[in-house]
């Protein structure tokens, strides 16, 4: 099986999340590619009501969403859990100025992980976000993804705070290198 | 040897950062400004504290990306990021991201004194062989130049204010320690006054 060709056990969760982002008037979509959110990135990229911004590193996305919020746009940052570590200091911007930063991260380093190099950041991701004052939501059931992203989006945009949704490996499937 | 050469060079540039900053924001109309932490924020404030300036006190490496988010949100406005060499060096990936996003209304001006001004004037990488405008061009920002002479400043300001973006200019400015001129420090105040001014700024917008 090639995981990049079949990134999710339940691809329809990506459609649910895209609908929720639309309903929350999300326009700017910043991302660093990941297999687990590949379908969602494509859906947002094909949406004429959204502007996708490909990043070289995830902290760029935190700064981008601060600027977006300053100008009245809503946005989301899509990434892999390793990218959460790259965001940490830049989250100071979101906290100090109370900017909404909605993040959706595909988790690595959890149950079934084959790559030990993914484990330290993956295991620390939720706590690291909380230490920086972000609200953290976790999705284990693909059928709940839409509702949980909606709750996180409302939290981020209505209370102007960073909020992260972590998509567990139980939900998106642990990546393997089997071909 | 390298350190001595750099020290001499950075102290001999004829351009003065406060004067360049003043020209960058003169007659600003609907111009939206994001300033990078440290001296660029003091320079822009010395040119006149303004609600449509968002002066960063932190978020080092993020100024250009804050500018990009703002530029995408407000395509009818010109957005000018005014930052320093150290701040730009910390977020070099943003040059590639700006090139790929291609915002026509975004410009980045670097006040490059080849020094970390807030921490004791230690040399930055641009005191050596590192060329920020060349890096911007290599990242895909074709309109990226270095300006070190007074005779070239006016044309550079015009490019930054008017040309299709992204535009990038690295101003080589004299390394000097100047009086601090600080904008409000409260992030919430800076955000709310910016949004409030933006909501009523349509009257300033020119085509």
């Amino acid at each position: 099986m090639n995981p990049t060709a079949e990134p999710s056990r339940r691809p329809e969760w990506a459609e649910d999340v895209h609908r929720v982002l639309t309903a929350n008037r999300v326009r700017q979509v910043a991302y660093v590619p990941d297999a687990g959110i590949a379908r969602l990135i494509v859906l947002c990229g094909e949406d004429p009501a959204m502007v996708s911004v490909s990043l070289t590193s995830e902290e760029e996305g935190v700064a981008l969403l601060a600027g977006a919020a300053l100008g009245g746009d809503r946005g989301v940052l899509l990434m892999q859990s390793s990218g959460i570590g790259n965001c940490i200091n830049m989250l100071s911007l979101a906290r100090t100025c109370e900017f909404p930063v909605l993040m959706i991260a595909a988790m690595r380093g959890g149950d079934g992980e084959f790559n030990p190099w993914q484990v330290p950041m993956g295991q620390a991701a939720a706590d690291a976000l909380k230490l920086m004052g972000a609200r953290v939501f976790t999705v284990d059931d693909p059928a709940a993804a839409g509702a949980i992203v909606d709750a996180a989006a409302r939290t981020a945009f209505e209370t102007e705070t960073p909020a992260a949704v972590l998509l567990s490996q139980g939900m998106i499937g642990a990546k393997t290198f089997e071909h | 040897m390298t350190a001595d050469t750099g020290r001499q060079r950075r102290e001999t540039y004829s351009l003065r950062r406060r004067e360049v900053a003043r020209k960058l924001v003169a007659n600003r109309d609907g111009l939206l400004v994001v300033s990078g932490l440290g001296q660029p924020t003091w320079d822009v404030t010395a040119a006149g504290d303004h609600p449509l300036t968002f002066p960063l006190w932190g978020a080092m490496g993020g100024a250009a990306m804050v500018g990009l988010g703002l530029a995408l949100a407000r395509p009818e406005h010109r957005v000018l990021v005014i930052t320093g060499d150290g701040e730009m060096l910390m977020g070099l990936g943003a040059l590639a991201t700006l090139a790929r996003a291609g915002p026509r209304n975004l410009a980045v001006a670097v006040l490059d004194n080849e020094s970390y001004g807030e921490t004791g004037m230690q040399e930055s990488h641009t005191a050596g062989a590192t060329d920020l405008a060349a890096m911007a061009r290599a990242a895909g920002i074709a309109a990226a130049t270095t300006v070190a002479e007074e005779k070239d400043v006016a044309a550079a300001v015009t490019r930054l204010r008017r040309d299709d973006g992204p535009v990038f200019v690295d101003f080589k400015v004299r390394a000097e320690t100047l009086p601090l001129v600080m904008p409000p420090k409260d992030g919430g105040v800076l955000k709310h006054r910016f949004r409030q001014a933006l909501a009523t700024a349509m009257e300033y917008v020119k085509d």
Side-chain angles (χ1 to χ4, degrees):
Chain A
M1 183 186 91
N2 181 344
T4 57
E6 190 182 356
S8 171
R9 293 176 190 172
R10 282 275 310 271
E12 60 268 34
W13 70 258
E15 273 78 1
D16 294 343
V17 170
H18 175 255
R19 274 192 293 273
V20 164
L21 295 176
T22 298
N24 280 278
R25 306 195 308 280
V26 166
R27 181 165 176 271
Q28 295 191 29
V29 180
Y31 68 94
V32 173
D34 181 72
I37 49 171
R39 174 72 184 150
L40 180 57
I41 291 170
V42 168
L43 289 171
C44 294
E46 292 175 344
D47 187 337
M50 295 180 174
V51 179
S52 288
V53 178
S54 175
L55 311 171
T56 70
S57 185
E58 293 81 357
E59 70 270 28
E60 293 176 5
V62 177
L64 180 93
L65 297 187
L70 202 57
D73 256 4
R74 291 181 168 191
V76 65
L77 169 56
L78 309 177
M79 60 184 160
Q80 182 188 96
S81 54
S82 53
I84 288 167
N86 292 344
C87 292
I88 292 302
N89 183 51
M90 202 61 78
L91 285 169
S92 305
L93 173 63
R95 288 298 309 288
T96 308
C97 303
E98 297 183 332
F99 281 124
V101 174
L102 176 62
M103 298 168 270
I104 301 177
M107 292 305 296
R108 296 288 306 273
D111 296 346
E113 177 63 57
F114 83 101
N115 182 350
W117 297 58
Q118 285 283 355
V119 173
M121 192 66 240
Q123 288 296 305
D127 287 343
L129 286 163
K130 289 174 187 168
L131 279 170
M132 287 307 294
R135 298 283 299 277
V136 179
F137 301 74
T138 300
V139 183
D140 292 314
D141 175 6
I148 293 173
V149 170
D150 188 53
R154 288 167 188 271
T155 298
F157 297 127
E158 300 300 336
T159 71
E160 300 215 277
T161 192
V165 180
L166 308 182
L167 309 175
S168 74
Q169 279 172 292
M171 169 192 164
I172 58 177
K175 181 178 178 177
T176 71
F177 270 170
E178 297 165 14
H179 290 273
Chain B
M1 182 62 192
T2 304
D4 290 344
T5 304
R7 187 178 305 279
Q8 290 166 357
R9 186 177 73 179
R10 65 183 176 156
E11 290 171 354
T12 61
Y13 288 121
S14 60
L15 295 183
R16 312 294 293 272
R17 55 186 309 129
R18 292 268 157 99
E19 183 60 15
V20 174
R22 192 186 64 74
K23 289 174 178 170
L24 285 170
V25 300
N27 303 312
R28 55 186 293 166
D29 297 326
L31 181 70
L32 311 181
V33 175
V34 176
S35 65
L37 83 171
Q39 290 194 351
T41 279
W42 321 144
D43 298 333
V44 169
T45 306
D49 187 33
H50 195 287
L52 290 177
T53 294
F54 191 69
L56 294 168
W57 284 77
M60 189 163 178
M65 288 304 302
V66 173
L68 178 60
L70 183 57
L72 293 175
R74 292 288 174 153
E76 74 278 22
H77 283 265
R78 188 72 175 187
V79 176
L80 176 59
V81 175
I82 302 173
T83 191
D85 46 297
E87 205 277 342
M88 194 70 246
L89 285 164
M90 194 173 278
L92 285 173
L95 295 174
T97 300
L98 260 58
R100 188 165 181 190
R104 294 180 60 182
N105 60 328
L106 179 63
V108 178
V110 178
L111 301 177
D112 178 4
N113 66 351
E114 306 180 353
S115 312
Y116 291 94
E118 296 306 307
T119 56
M121 296 299 277
Q122 299 91 343
E123 289 183 355
S124 82
H125 297 50
T126 61
T130 301
D131 180 338
L132 283 172
M135 295 184 90
R137 283 193 298 275
I141 301 175
T145 53
T146 301
V147 169
E149 305 292 336
E150 179 60 38
K151 64 178 173 57
D152 299 324
V153 171
V157 171
T158 300
R159 288 199 302 279
L160 288 162
R161 295 281 296 269
R162 300 276 179 249
D163 281 7
D164 274 355
V167 178
F168 182 97
V169 176
D170 184 52
F171 291 96
K172 286 291 187 180
V173 297
R174 185 178 304 179
E176 55 186 340
T177 302
L178 298 167
L180 301 178
V181 184
M182 296 183 174
K185 185 161 55 174
D186 185 305
V189 167
L190 294 168
K191 177 184 72 172
H192 287 298
R193 73 173 194 169
F194 190 99
R195 285 174 169 171
Q196 204 161 26
L198 196 53
T200 56
M202 287 308 292
E203 64 191 272
Y204 296 116
V205 175
K206 293 177 178 178
D207 49 20

